[in-house]
Amino acid sequence: MTDATTESFGFQAEAKQVLNLVIHSVYSNKEIFLRELVSNASDACDKLRFEALTDGALFEDDQDLAIRVDYDREARIVTVSDNGIGMSRQEVIEHIGTIAKSGTQEFLQKLTGDQTNDAQLIGQFGIGFYSAFVVAERVKLVTRRAGLAPEHGVTWESTGEGDYTLQTVPKETRGTEVVLHLRQSEDKLLSATRLRALLRKYSDHIGVPIRMKKDGADEDETVNQASALWARAKSEITDEQYQEFYKHVAHDVEPPLAFAHVKVEGRQDYTLLLFIPLLAPFDLWDRERRHGIKLYVRRVFIMDDADQLIPAYLRFVRGIVDSNDLPLNLSREILQHSSDVQAIRAAVAKRIIGLLEDLAGKQAEKYATFWHEFGRVFKEGVGEDAANRERINKLLRFSSTHADAGDQTVGLSDYVGRMKEGQDKIFYITADSLPAARNSPHLEVFRTRGIEVLLLHDRVDEWVVSHMTEFDGKSLQSVTQGDLDLGRLGDEVDATTSKDVVDEFKPLTDRMQRVLGSRTKEVRVTSRLTDSPACLVSDTPVSRNLERMLKEAGQVVSSGQPVMEINPRHPIVERLKDETDDDRFSEWSQILFDQALLAEGGQLADPAGFVKRLNELMLALAGKQSRIWTPG
């Protein structure tokens, strides 16, 4: 029978699924549970040190912050404890019983059952405390938040299956103790030698001392170096230590893709240790997501998620900033208005851009990995970071008509280097998908002339081209907006829009304009088509693709009507020029407009009417009577 302070809770549905995956299928490297628990304990000590800056009573006469690791061979338990900030009852419920992460459902849907792939995915998701169940059949957590009375301790206990219990218990000391009741197969962890080896391998960089009992003695020894890794000389730090520190700050199972460790001295003294992850987190596109920069002042932890220290387009970066000059009582409000902080923010951006430039120039495969994971976010920098725009522009990658399989591998410098003699513009098309861009009728004349066109199909690309009007002295030109101007490259195709041709087809374009009415601003002949009979062109600064995106987002868009351009050499257009039946002419004009609208990814206002017209056409082609078309 449980007492009045004990309650049972069911795990959140998503937490149950993640736990089941963790326990049974995902972690092939079981020993990282110790790294995760020690990392959590280190964070708790950092947070206490920070809160105690304004409330020294939180130390409760114990300022010697430390982490302990103990084991009991007979009871088959391993214990990780700390005297950090601890948790209240409500905090235990929020942080232990719930996985409150946006993207959780997407994460679960992407799991395949393949252990290697799923291990990478769960690394992107981050599970921290739950890794304890990889080696433990039962986990007990005892905690008390600093500043609360001893009677407000809390015990959390679970087997990692359907539910957990919470009980209010007395706890004399602040902090958290995690007790792991090991599975039968994990006896090798009940060894001081094994535990020390794991701690030195995974947690040597932790700035808080990790203590264990000396073999055969009652006194303690500190297992790790217990000094801030970023404060050491780079020559003293191995790549493996950098990788383990990254896993500590990012709670990731994969090593970083690249990192930069910089000490700046001069008007300001600060240290940057910045990492680019190998894989993107699931909540990368969540506007409320946490950023990955921890702020320290003179080795004292100040805050997680120091978003003022890094631009939003670099929100995938993880790491620390440690300043010798900022005040210890720094708040988010002070961060926002501090010129010193703005200088550090600018330095962070420049260092990351420099790191990416090195990857792009010397390690193309790594840069391709970065672009696949973070390219869409990095593109936001074109509009957000005017000071570094030129450097960012050189790092952008796009699909193009000259790239295989549509991969985003084409840099603007590559494009300029391949420009045809006489070409003075960088041509591009924006669309809502790669197939829509690649198969657009607007590209027909460019294919005929062998002119490369960038295929911009990410939603952010409209933002990019609105802030980047030229590159390397070459202006950017949408192939779907305005009159087609190929400069000296267009001499051979301009004949289709010569005055004689325009005059010849003027009766047809005027007649189509009267039929289409308000659906189009103008009907005119064009030189941009070779295979298709018609296309739609925007005569405003807002592209048709951007207009659709804004409308989908619920914004009111005051847009002009599109211009319909027809191909005077196409058999259908030539046939229409001689059509005498007004009804057939009207129906065919509507079909051509609707086809052009669909080809650019638009939506029909009257889909049923379009289908009816096509059915009539098929009847005619089958030799049946049709009011739209009479073969002849």
PDB file of all heavy atoms in Angstrom, residues 335-351:
ATOM      1  N   LEU A 335      22.271  41.022 -22.445  1.00  0.00           N
ATOM      2  CA  LEU A 335      22.834  40.412 -23.642  1.00  0.00           C
ATOM      3  C   LEU A 335      22.364  41.129 -24.903  1.00  0.00           C
ATOM      4  O   LEU A 335      23.130  41.397 -25.819  1.00  0.00           O
ATOM      5  CB  LEU A 335      22.403  38.940 -23.731  1.00  0.00           C
ATOM      6  CG  LEU A 335      23.326  37.860 -23.170  1.00  0.00           C
ATOM      7  CD1 LEU A 335      22.672  36.502 -23.350  1.00  0.00           C
ATOM      8  CD2 LEU A 335      24.686  37.884 -23.830  1.00  0.00           C
ATOM      9  N   GLN A 336      21.084  41.448 -24.920  1.00  0.00           N
ATOM     10  CA  GLN A 336      20.473  42.015 -26.111  1.00  0.00           C
ATOM     11  C   GLN A 336      21.026  43.387 -26.454  1.00  0.00           C
ATOM     12  O   GLN A 336      21.086  43.768 -27.619  1.00  0.00           O
ATOM     13  CB  GLN A 336      18.955  42.082 -25.915  1.00  0.00           C
ATOM     14  CG  GLN A 336      18.185  42.374 -27.181  1.00  0.00           C
ATOM     15  CD  GLN A 336      16.704  42.133 -27.010  1.00  0.00           C
ATOM     16  OE1 GLN A 336      16.245  41.792 -25.932  1.00  0.00           O
ATOM     17  NE2 GLN A 336      15.947  42.325 -28.070  1.00  0.00           N
ATOM     18  N   HIS A 337      21.438  44.137 -25.434  1.00  0.00           N
ATOM     19  CA  HIS A 337      21.838  45.527 -25.663  1.00  0.00           C
ATOM     20  C   HIS A 337      23.332  45.777 -25.459  1.00  0.00           C
ATOM     21  O   HIS A 337      23.781  46.908 -25.494  1.00  0.00           O
ATOM     22  CB  HIS A 337      21.035  46.444 -24.735  1.00  0.00           C
ATOM     23  CG  HIS A 337      19.555  46.378 -24.971  1.00  0.00           C
ATOM     24  ND1 HIS A 337      18.708  45.656 -24.155  1.00  0.00           N
ATOM     25  CD2 HIS A 337      18.780  46.914 -25.945  1.00  0.00           C
ATOM     26  CE1 HIS A 337      17.462  45.770 -24.608  1.00  0.00           C
ATOM     27  NE2 HIS A 337      17.486  46.519 -25.691  1.00  0.00           N
ATOM     28  N   SER A 338      24.099  44.716 -25.240  1.00  0.00           N
ATOM     29  CA  SER A 338      25.523  44.877 -24.971  1.00  0.00           C
ATOM     30  C   SER A 338      26.328  44.943 -26.276  1.00  0.00           C
ATOM     31  O   SER A 338      26.227  44.054 -27.119  1.00  0.00           O
ATOM     32  CB  SER A 338      26.028  43.711 -24.117  1.00  0.00           C
ATOM     33  OG  SER A 338      27.439  43.694 -24.079  1.00  0.00           O
ATOM     34  N   SER A 339      27.140  45.983 -26.415  1.00  0.00           N
ATOM     35  CA  SER A 339      27.992  46.092 -27.607  1.00  0.00           C
ATOM     36  C   SER A 339      29.067  45.007 -27.594  1.00  0.00           C
ATOM     37  O   SER A 339      29.489  44.525 -28.655  1.00  0.00           O
ATOM     38  CB  SER A 339      28.644  47.473 -27.663  1.00  0.00           C
ATOM     39  OG  SER A 339      29.431  47.716 -26.496  1.00  0.00           O
ATOM     40  N   ASP A 340      29.530  44.607 -26.405  1.00  0.00           N
ATOM     41  CA  ASP A 340      30.510  43.522 -26.315  1.00  0.00           C
ATOM     42  C   ASP A 340      29.920  42.218 -26.840  1.00  0.00           C
ATOM     43  O   ASP A 340      30.588  41.441 -27.533  1.00  0.00           O
ATOM     44  CB  ASP A 340      30.976  43.333 -24.864  1.00  0.00           C
ATOM     45  CG  ASP A 340      31.882  44.463 -24.402  1.00  0.00           C
ATOM     46  OD1 ASP A 340      32.461  45.146 -25.269  1.00  0.00           O
ATOM     47  OD2 ASP A 340      32.005  44.664 -23.183  1.00  0.00           O
ATOM     48  N   VAL A 341      28.657  41.984 -26.496  1.00  0.00           N
ATOM     49  CA  VAL A 341      27.988  40.767 -26.963  1.00  0.00           C
ATOM     50  C   VAL A 341      27.828  40.805 -28.475  1.00  0.00           C
ATOM     51  O   VAL A 341      28.028  39.794 -29.165  1.00  0.00           O
ATOM     52  CB  VAL A 341      26.620  40.603 -26.263  1.00  0.00           C
ATOM     53  CG1 VAL A 341      25.792  39.522 -26.946  1.00  0.00           C
ATOM     54  CG2 VAL A 341      26.822  40.263 -24.798  1.00  0.00           C
ATOM     55  N   GLN A 342      27.498  41.964 -29.019  1.00  0.00           N
ATOM     56  CA  GLN A 342      27.363  42.079 -30.468  1.00  0.00           C
ATOM     57  C   GLN A 342      28.689  41.804 -31.169  1.00  0.00           C
ATOM     58  O   GLN A 342      28.719  41.206 -32.252  1.00  0.00           O
ATOM     59  CB  GLN A 342      26.844  43.477 -30.836  1.00  0.00           C
ATOM     60  CG  GLN A 342      25.436  43.768 -30.360  1.00  0.00           C
ATOM     61  CD  GLN A 342      24.444  42.723 -30.822  1.00  0.00           C
ATOM     62  OE1 GLN A 342      24.395  42.364 -31.994  1.00  0.00           O
ATOM     63  NE2 GLN A 342      23.647  42.199 -29.886  1.00  0.00           N
ATOM     64  N   ALA A 343      29.783  42.222 -30.554  1.00  0.00           N
ATOM     65  CA  ALA A 343      31.104  41.958 -31.139  1.00  0.00           C
ATOM     66  C   ALA A 343      31.409  40.456 -31.125  1.00  0.00           C
ATOM     67  O   ALA A 343      31.955  39.907 -32.084  1.00  0.00           O
ATOM     68  CB  ALA A 343      32.179  42.726 -30.368  1.00  0.00           C
ATOM     69  N   ILE A 344      31.045  39.782 -30.026  1.00  0.00           N
ATOM     70  CA  ILE A 344      31.247  38.334 -29.955  1.00  0.00           C
ATOM     71  C   ILE A 344      30.370  37.633 -30.987  1.00  0.00           C
ATOM     72  O   ILE A 344      30.804  36.691 -31.665  1.00  0.00           O
ATOM     73  CB  ILE A 344      30.945  37.819 -28.533  1.00  0.00           C
ATOM     74  CG1 ILE A 344      31.969  38.377 -27.539  1.00  0.00           C
ATOM     75  CG2 ILE A 344      30.950  36.289 -28.499  1.00  0.00           C
ATOM     76  CD1 ILE A 344      31.684  38.031 -26.094  1.00  0.00           C
ATOM     77  N   ARG A 345      29.130  38.088 -31.115  1.00  0.00           N
ATOM     78  CA  ARG A 345      28.211  37.502 -32.095  1.00  0.00           C
ATOM     79  C   ARG A 345      28.790  37.595 -33.507  1.00  0.00           C
ATOM     80  O   ARG A 345      28.745  36.628 -34.280  1.00  0.00           O
ATOM     81  CB  ARG A 345      26.864  38.231 -32.007  1.00  0.00           C
ATOM     82  CG  ARG A 345      25.829  37.817 -33.049  1.00  0.00           C
ATOM     83  CD  ARG A 345      24.653  38.785 -32.972  1.00  0.00           C
ATOM     84  NE  ARG A 345      23.671  38.587 -34.017  1.00  0.00           N
ATOM     85  CZ  ARG A 345      22.548  37.893 -33.884  1.00  0.00           C
ATOM     86  NH1 ARG A 345      22.273  37.315 -32.722  1.00  0.00           N
ATOM     87  NH2 ARG A 345      21.687  37.775 -34.877  1.00  0.00           N
ATOM     88  N   ALA A 346      29.348  38.751 -33.839  1.00  0.00           N
ATOM     89  CA  ALA A 346      29.951  38.928 -35.157  1.00  0.00           C
ATOM     90  C   ALA A 346      31.146  37.996 -35.338  1.00  0.00           C
ATOM     91  O   ALA A 346      31.351  37.425 -36.417  1.00  0.00           O
ATOM     92  CB  ALA A 346      30.377  40.383 -35.342  1.00  0.00           C
ATOM     93  N   ALA A 347      31.929  37.822 -34.267  1.00  0.00           N
ATOM     94  CA  ALA A 347      33.096  36.935 -34.338  1.00  0.00           C
ATOM     95  C   ALA A 347      32.671  35.481 -34.518  1.00  0.00           C
ATOM     96  O   ALA A 347      33.297  34.727 -35.277  1.00  0.00           O
ATOM     97  CB  ALA A 347      33.941  37.085 -33.075  1.00  0.00           C
ATOM     98  N   VAL A 348      31.600  35.080 -33.832  1.00  0.00           N
ATOM     99  CA  VAL A 348      31.095  33.713 -33.979  1.00  0.00           C
ATOM    100  C   VAL A 348      30.696  33.457 -35.425  1.00  0.00           C
ATOM    101  O   VAL A 348      31.056  32.431 -36.023  1.00  0.00           O
ATOM    102  CB  VAL A 348      29.897  33.477 -33.034  1.00  0.00           C
ATOM    103  CG1 VAL A 348      29.183  32.167 -33.383  1.00  0.00           C
ATOM    104  CG2 VAL A 348      30.349  33.437 -31.578  1.00  0.00           C
ATOM    105  N   ALA A 349      29.952  34.392 -36.016  1.00  0.00           N
ATOM    106  CA  ALA A 349      29.513  34.230 -37.404  1.00  0.00           C
ATOM    107  C   ALA A 349      30.706  34.114 -38.344  1.00  0.00           C
ATOM    108  O   ALA A 349      30.746  33.246 -39.230  1.00  0.00           O
ATOM    109  CB  ALA A 349      28.620  35.394 -37.814  1.00  0.00           C
ATOM    110  N   LYS A 350      31.709  34.976 -38.156  1.00  0.00           N
ATOM    111  CA  LYS A 350      32.873  34.955 -39.042  1.00  0.00           C
ATOM    112  C   LYS A 350      33.658  33.646 -38.904  1.00  0.00           C
ATOM    113  O   LYS A 350      34.151  33.098 -39.898  1.00  0.00           O
ATOM    114  CB  LYS A 350      33.780  36.146 -38.748  1.00  0.00           C
ATOM    115  CG  LYS A 350      33.194  37.471 -39.235  1.00  0.00           C
ATOM    116  CD  LYS A 350      34.123  38.639 -38.930  1.00  0.00           C
ATOM    117  CE  LYS A 350      33.537  39.945 -39.457  1.00  0.00           C
ATOM    118  NZ  LYS A 350      34.388  41.108 -39.153  1.00  0.00           N
ATOM    119  N   ARG A 351      33.763  33.138 -37.673  1.00  0.00           N
ATOM    120  CA  ARG A 351      34.513  31.899 -37.468  1.00  0.00           C
ATOM    121  C   ARG A 351      33.800  30.721 -38.117  1.00  0.00           C
ATOM    122  O   ARG A 351      34.443  29.848 -38.728  1.00  0.00           O
ATOM    123  CB  ARG A 351      34.697  31.637 -35.966  1.00  0.00           C
ATOM    124  CG  ARG A 351      35.610  32.629 -35.287  1.00  0.00           C
ATOM    125  CD  ARG A 351      37.048  32.509 -35.781  1.00  0.00           C
ATOM    126  NE  ARG A 351      37.909  33.509 -35.139  1.00  0.00           N
ATOM    127  CZ  ARG A 351      39.206  33.625 -35.374  1.00  0.00           C
ATOM    128  NH1 ARG A 351      39.794  32.849 -36.241  1.00  0.00           N
ATOM    129  NH2 ARG A 351      39.914  34.551 -34.760  1.00  0.00           N
TER     130      ARG A 351
END
